[in-house]
Amino acid sequence: MKAIWKRPWVWLLVVIATVVVVVHLYLAIWVRDYVNRKLSEIEGYKAHVDAVTLHLWRGAYQIHHIKIQKVEGHVPVPFFEAPLVDLSVEWEALFHGAFVGQIDIYKAEMNFVNGPNPQVGVDKPWTEKVKQLFPVKINRFSVKGGEIHYRDYSKTPKVDVVIDDVRMVATNLTNSKKLSKTLKANVEIEGRPLREGDVRAKIDLDPYASRPTFSTQVELKGVNLVKLNDFAKAYAGITFESGTLRVATEMDAKNGRFTGYVEPVFDHMGIFNPQHDFKENPINGIWQAIVGGLTQIIRNHPKDRFGTRVPLSGSFDDPAPDVMTTVFNVFRNAFVKAFTGTLSEEGVKVPEANPDKH
């Protein structure tokens, strides 16, 4: 009997397998170089990915170790960094007659940096670059185990406010009734502010509206004020001795106009400690004594709570926070009814846009 390795069809299979492996390998290298080239076209930023893995059987490829950094200003941290980004066809949508994609990002870190060389946002055509990297409409987007940092290296002390364990899922981004009963996209976000609190956000939006159209609800709780001391000292010249923070905010927007509120509540807040505040800096100690005294007086004493509600309304071209109402609400919290820092049941309503302004 002829040995199996001497049979012609065996060698044909070996040749085909070898060709497939080589083509797959070089195709992955080509895709990696293509991704690096496209990301590097963004003016003011440089980007790099280490490798790309193709998964042709599920219509997907994975980007390994992507890093996007601002070029100017010597910002010491990247704007975006992730060990893994998975771009794939959303197979579930195919059963509904829609050919769309999804993006899953794992353990990403984003850094918004304030100061002389800010890195506080991306005003570049990133959406167009995503289309070039994965030329199908993205219907689902998720982040798993991410971190978001607000940093300011120009302050003393340096500021680093973090939300970790970020989990986000955005669905129906294609705005399609084939995939959803509504034309709204839905975004849900959870995370841990300062690595121990809890924040949850829900956003419904129209991704294709010509002017911002959305409704959002955000609730934050369980934040230890002492962990905010670098931020408080850098921007307000105070340090917290004790207390917790709770914040609720709701906002609705359509036709370029918005209305909503932010309701911060400080429970058992302590600011001034004469034993060390005067020793460290007498002038700053006086300031902290004044702030601590005022917040001690103007608070709801039965609940030991200082809080207010900040109304937000206007247009995105000319936002107008209501300062007087905010101050009035401080006294309302103290002497009428304490705010709770939780979402209201009635929600908010958006005024119609003035047609004369648009």
Side-chain angles (χ1 to χ4, degrees):
M1 184 177 178
K2 186 183 291 186
I4 191 170
W5 58 270
K6 293 183 178 180
R7 298 178 183 273
W9 62 268
V10 173
W11 286 104
L12 180 61
L13 289 177
V14 170
V15 171
I16 293 174
T18 302
V19 171
V20 169
V21 170
V22 172
V23 170
H24 189 274
L25 176 63
Y26 277 95
L27 184 59
I29 295 174
W30 181 86
V31 172
R32 180 202 64 189
D33 293 342
Y34 174 81
V35 171
N36 277 323
R37 186 169 64 254
K38 287 300 176 183
L39 290 177
S40 298
E41 292 174 356
I42 301 295
E43 185 179 355
Y45 289 85
K46 63 179 180 180
H48 179 76
V49 302
D50 286 351
V52 166
T53 302
L54 303 180
H55 299 273
L56 300 179
W57 59 273
R58 65 183 182 93
Y61 74 94
Q62 293 180 328
I63 296 174
H64 300 274
H65 299 103
I66 180 173
K67 186 175 182 180
I68 301 173
Q69 184 124 16
K70 188 177 179 182
V71 176
E72 299 176 353
H74 304 289
V75 179
V77 290
F79 173 72
F80 176 84
E81 188 172 18
L84 180 64
V85 178
D86 186 281
L87 303 95
S88 64
V89 172
E90 189 177 3
W91 290 102
E92 184 178 346
L94 289 175
F95 295 103
H96 299 281
F99 183 65
V100 294
Q102 65 181 47
I103 300 177
D104 299 294
I105 302 177
Y106 299 87
K107 297 183 178 180
E109 179 179 314
M110 292 189 72
N111 292 283
F112 297 93
V113 180
N114 197 9
N117 299 300
Q119 184 177 266
V120 295
V122 179
D123 54 358
K124 307 299 180 181
W126 294 101
T127 303
E128 291 301 319
K129 290 304 171 186
V130 171
K131 289 180 180 179
Q132 293 175 2
L133 299 181
F134 198 61
V136 298
K137 286 186 176 181
I138 303 300
N139 184 62
R140 186 179 182 277
F141 181 90
S142 77
V143 175
K144 302 174 183 179
E147 286 192 5
I148 301 173
H149 292 257
Y150 170 82
R151 303 178 188 266
D152 193 336
Y153 296 98
S154 66
K155 296 294 184 179
T156 302
K158 293 181 174 62
V159 176
D160 180 11
V161 178
V162 59
I163 302 176
D164 74 340
D165 196 22
V166 175
R167 303 173 300 281
M168 184 184 84
V169 177
T171 57
N172 201 36
L173 297 177
T174 57
N175 213 227
S176 171
K177 280 193 172 181
K178 289 183 179 180
L179 305 175
S180 175
K181 295 179 180 179
T182 176
L183 289 177
K184 292 182 179 180
N186 307 109
V187 183
E188 294 186 1
I189 307 172
E190 298 179 359
R192 297 191 313 170
L194 302 177
R195 304 190 187 277
E196 67 174 19
D198 181 76
V199 63
R200 298 172 187 271
K202 183 177 180 181
I203 306 168
D204 296 325
L205 60 92
D206 182 352
Y208 294 101
S210 59
R211 300 179 69 85
T213 301
F214 64 87
S215 63
T216 181
Q217 295 180 321
V218 182
E219 195 166 17
L220 177 149
K221 59 183 178 180
V223 174
N224 185 343
L225 288 174
V226 175
K227 287 198 168 186
L228 277 171
N229 272 345
D230 286 349
F231 181 91
K233 190 172 184 178
Y235 292 107
I238 62 173
T239 54
F240 295 106
E241 302 295 330
S242 62
T244 58
L245 172 66
R246 177 190 288 267
V247 180
T249 180
E250 293 182 84
M251 184 178 291
D252 278 1
K254 60 182 177 182
N255 298 326
R257 297 186 63 81
F258 67 90
T259 186
Y261 68 88
V262 178
E263 187 175 296
V265 166
F266 302 82
D267 284 324
H268 315 296
M269 179 178 64
I271 292 179
F272 175 62
N273 188 331
Q275 294 183 354
H276 60 74
D277 286 336
F278 277 126
K279 292 180 180 179
E280 292 179 1
N281 187 326
I283 296 178
N284 181 257
I286 295 173
W287 165 247
Q288 294 204 60
I290 294 172
V291 175
L294 286 174
T295 56
Q296 184 66 35
I297 295 171
I298 312 174
R299 72 171 63 188
N300 186 289
H301 287 279
K303 294 183 178 295
D304 193 14
R305 177 174 296 169
F306 178 84
T308 188
R309 173 178 283 209
V310 184
L312 304 172
S313 63
S315 70
F316 289 97
D317 298 326
D318 184 25
D322 192 334
V323 177
M324 293 305 299
T325 302
T326 302
V327 174
F328 170 79
N329 283 335
V330 171
F331 290 92
R332 179 184 171 194
N333 172 81
F335 304 114
V336 181
K337 184 179 179 180
F339 291 112
T340 62
T342 56
L343 298 173
S344 64
E345 295 181 358
E346 65 271 16
V348 293
K349 295 181 179 180
V350 184
E352 293 293 335
N354 186 345
D356 295 333
K357 293 185 177 182
H358 305 290

